[in-house]
Amino acid sequence: VQLQASGGGLVQAGGSLRLSCAASTRTSSRYFMGWFRQAPGKEREFVAAATWRGTRYADSVKGRFTISTDNAKNTVYLEMNTMKPEDTAVYYCAAALRTSDSAVYYYQSSIYDFWGQGTQVTVSS
């Protein structure tokens, strides 16, 4: 599975961006999708996941970001609203195989099998 992330850019604080991640093949039956981000000098962190048991969000983005999927297009989106300078990072999409463990540990990068190349998001104050 190849993942292609897009939609990053520069936005002012309080603004919005929508990221997209297109998969090369149909993933909805075997995988679920997630978004992670990595800021300079920091570790990669969980942002959101669209598991078969529902959507999950990091506390830092809850209420501001929305993850959604379009299975017909093999695409997952991350709608980001009310953005803050601390949202500045490279954002990565990833696909994880559906297992009982992955449903629980969706926030851990180690359970994801495929990763996109990342897209830069910069929020100016």
Side-chain angles (χ1 to χ4, degrees), residues 20 27 94 108 122:
S20 300
T27 58
Q108 294 184 356
T122 303

Side-chain angles (χ1 to χ4, degrees), residues 43-62:
E43 293 187 353
R44 189 170 298 189
E45 66 174 4
F46 169 74
V47 176
T51 79
W52 68 101
R53 295 181 181 176
T55 54
R56 304 288 185 260
Y57 297 94
D59 287 343
S60 59
V61 307
K62 201 171 293 183

